[in-house]
Amino acid sequence: MKSTSFTGFDHAEAEFGKEIGLSDWMLIDQARVNAFAQVTGDEQWIHVDVERAQRESPFGGPIAHGYLTLSLLAKFAGECIAVEGVRHALNYGLNRVRFVAPVKVGSRVRAHFVQAKVEEIAGGMQLEWQATIEIEGSDKPACVAQMLTRWYF
């Protein structure tokens, strides 16, 4: 795992355009997919019905929900991005999200973070991250997103 600890606005500006984080790999198993389906109410067969997905899915088996993959950005960002001296940090939103390739159950994923923008806001700063969730052994990423965070000092 590669991570960066930020100490303030000047440090954040100095990291512009650089890859500042690479998370550990995470296995996406059927238990995780089923738990996500239960919590969200999204129990489509392509995610939770293993036998049917093996028979009928164009992917040869069940796949993770796109939103499950996206939700992992919070965990992965926590592994990769730290800031010192903030009163609080907020996930502020997403500007653009694309699910480029499906995550087959049994795959491992991890995330890369590149700082794409930093700007001062009242009481702190807003950062935009280019986040890419890759699938081990795949040429295509699972998800690419522009993730926004706010840090208040």
Side-chain angles (χ1 to χ4, degrees), residues 18-31:
K18 297 178 184 175
E19 181 177 283
I20 57 85
L22 175 63
S23 74
D24 289 332
W25 288 106
M26 172 187 268
L27 175 66
I28 304 301
D29 60 15
Q30 191 64 52

Side-chain angles (χ1 to χ4, degrees), residues 4-5 7 68-69 84 122 127 137:
T4 301
S5 181
T7 56
L68 166 57
T69 305
E84 299 172 16
L127 297 104

Side-chain angles (χ1 to χ4, degrees), residues 12-112:
E13 277 193 319
E15 297 298 318
F16 177 78
K18 297 178 184 175
E19 181 177 283
I20 57 85
L22 175 63
S23 74
D24 289 332
W25 288 106
M26 172 187 268
L27 175 66
I28 304 301
D29 60 15
Q30 191 64 52
R32 183 179 304 276
V33 171
N34 290 347
F36 188 84
Q38 185 176 25
V39 167
T40 62
D42 182 356
E43 298 190 11
Q44 291 184 27
W45 65 266
I46 202 161
H47 305 302
V48 298
D49 188 335
V50 175
E51 291 176 5
R52 183 175 178 189
Q54 288 172 338
R55 277 192 326 269
E56 299 178 30
S57 166
F59 310 112
I63 59 171
H65 304 74
Y67 288 127
L68 166 57
T69 305
L70 181 65
S71 73
L72 295 174
L73 282 178
K75 176 198 181 328
F76 291 148
E79 290 180 10
C80 297
I81 304 164
V83 62
E84 299 172 16
V86 297
R87 283 185 297 125
H88 63 276
L90 296 173
N91 291 325
Y92 191 62
L94 300 158
N95 281 341
R96 182 180 166 109
V97 176
R98 294 292 181 264
F99 301 111
V100 181
V103 177
K104 297 177 186 178
V105 170
S107 298
R108 293 192 331 158
V109 297
R110 69 177 176 185
H112 299 258

